Amino acid sequence: MTQRIEHHACFGGWQDVYQHRSEVLDCDMRVGVYYPPQVAHGPCPVLYWLSGLTCTEQNFITKAGAQRYAAEHGIILVAPDTSPRGEGVPDADGYDLGQGAGFYVNATQAPWSRNFRMYDYIVDELPAWVESDPAASSVRAISGHSMGGHGALMIALRNPGRYRSVSAFSPIVAPSQVPWGEKAFSAYLGERSEAWKTYDTVELIAGDLSERLPLKIDQGEADEFLDAQLQPQRLAESCAARNHPLDLKLRSGYDHSYYFIQSFIGEHVAYHAKAMA
């Protein structure tokens, strides 16, 4: 069952929020969907946005300012919540595990494995739900921020041919090597194993990929998490070693916030629009 719970006119289109039942996550999920004015003339391509730790579907749709650019280019924006939620869904103390911190993996460990299957939700169930609407075409791109940047890069690399383009802001590029990822992967996936590498962008680049999808990344040099959690140099080194196309821009003065995302989201939407044209 799907219920529209918000409906706002925005740049000639509509910013909606829906609640729908996820069988994969065994809970109700909320998703922000922006429909540009061009949907009146036929199906539009879809840009999926994956948000970071602590976020819901609201952060991107209220803070990024992406709708004006989506309206300009005729792109549907889809911004799901970052984890399963609700009564009976497991949680943990702290912001970096449990609800609001799904990390876009399929959990294999109790108590997380029943609900925390965000990888399957983003890759399969959510696009099927989105594309059941005649307004949406099957042409897709994916982007995200921080934990969501990790999700976008990892999912695009693991699913050749599914996405026309991928980009990220301040992504966690090597989650198996930094504290945020080590905590989440230990809880969701168990002791360090080969499974960790399958959700790690740097490890995926180092492997044998059948598709060399270019990576577009913006990273603020004043980001408080740069050295401890994000470490973009790891990705730069991995891409250089494998000759994988990478456009990494280090932005002087910018931090980890949505002020940073606002400043460059127009470039990212235009990038995806060109790829999906």
Side-chain angles (χ1 to χ4, degrees):
M1 178 179 175
T2 296
Q3 178 185 8
R4 188 173 70 188
I5 56 179
E6 292 187 36
H7 185 57
H8 310 284
C10 186
F11 291 101
W14 297 97
Q15 178 62 64
D16 292 349
V17 176
Y18 294 89
Q19 182 169 293
H20 76 109
R21 182 68 185 177
S22 168
E23 299 303 324
V24 167
L25 304 177
D26 194 22
C27 68
D28 292 335
M29 289 292 285
R30 291 190 174 187
V31 185
V33 182
Y34 176 70
Y35 295 98
Q38 291 88 339
V39 298
H41 307 295
C44 291
V46 182
L47 173 58
Y48 292 85
W49 173 270
L50 307 184
S51 292
L53 289 165
T54 76
C55 291
T56 69
E57 81 289 343
Q58 290 290 322
N59 296 72
F60 180 73
I61 67 176
T62 59
K63 294 181 179 180
Q67 293 93 338
R68 65 175 286 193
Y69 305 107
E72 177 183 342
H73 294 287
I75 291 175
I76 295 172
L77 299 175
V78 174
D81 200 349
T82 54
S83 78
R85 296 183 195 266
E87 188 176 348
V89 175
D91 203 1
D93 293 333
Y95 69 93
D96 52 357
L97 187 68
Q99 296 187 34
F103 264 85
Y104 306 100
V105 304
N106 285 339
T108 58
Q109 305 298 302
W112 311 104
S113 55
R114 182 170 70 87
N115 302 101
F116 280 69
R117 302 186 60 81
M118 286 296 292
Y119 178 87
D120 283 351
Y121 177 69
I122 297 298
V123 172
D124 296 317
E125 189 179 34
L126 180 62
W129 177 80
V130 169
E131 291 165 21
S132 68
D133 186 335
S137 78
S138 61
V139 177
R140 312 176 195 94
I142 192 166
S143 186
H145 172 232
S146 194
M147 177 185 72
H150 140 71
L153 296 173
M154 175 269 294
I155 285 171
L157 292 174
R158 284 185 54 166
N159 293 274
R162 177 170 283 271
Y163 302 97
R164 297 285 182 89
S165 51
V166 60
S167 73
F169 290 82
S170 318
I172 307 169
V173 299
S176 67
Q177 303 296 324
V178 299
W180 276 341
E182 290 175 331
K183 179 177 180 178
F185 284 13
S186 295
Y188 298 146
L189 305 174
E191 293 183 9
R192 184 178 292 273
S193 66
E194 288 299 307
W196 287 34
K197 295 182 180 180
T198 67
Y199 294 109
D200 185 303
T201 295
V202 167
E203 294 285 357
L204 291 170
I205 292 291
D208 293 320
L209 296 175
S210 61
E211 179 184 53
R212 304 176 66 75
L213 194 65
L215 311 181
K216 176 178 174 61
I217 295 174
D218 275 275
Q219 172 63 61
E221 291 187 319
D223 192 316
E224 60 268 41
F225 304 113
L226 180 61
D227 294 332
Q229 306 284 5
L230 306 178
Q231 302 181 5
Q233 71 277 6
R234 288 182 181 268
L235 181 61
E237 292 166 0
S238 186
C239 286
R242 302 295 288 187
N243 198 27
H244 192 102
L246 170 67
D247 177 13
L248 171 61
K249 289 186 172 65
L250 300 177
R251 304 290 192 173
S252 177
Y254 287 92
D255 58 20
H256 200 71
S257 72
Y258 267 84
Y259 297 110
F260 170 45
I261 296 170
Q262 287 174 22
S263 300
F264 302 105
I265 191 66
E267 292 183 18
H268 283 244
V269 173
Y271 174 78
H272 293 297
K274 183 177 180 180
M276 293 192 290

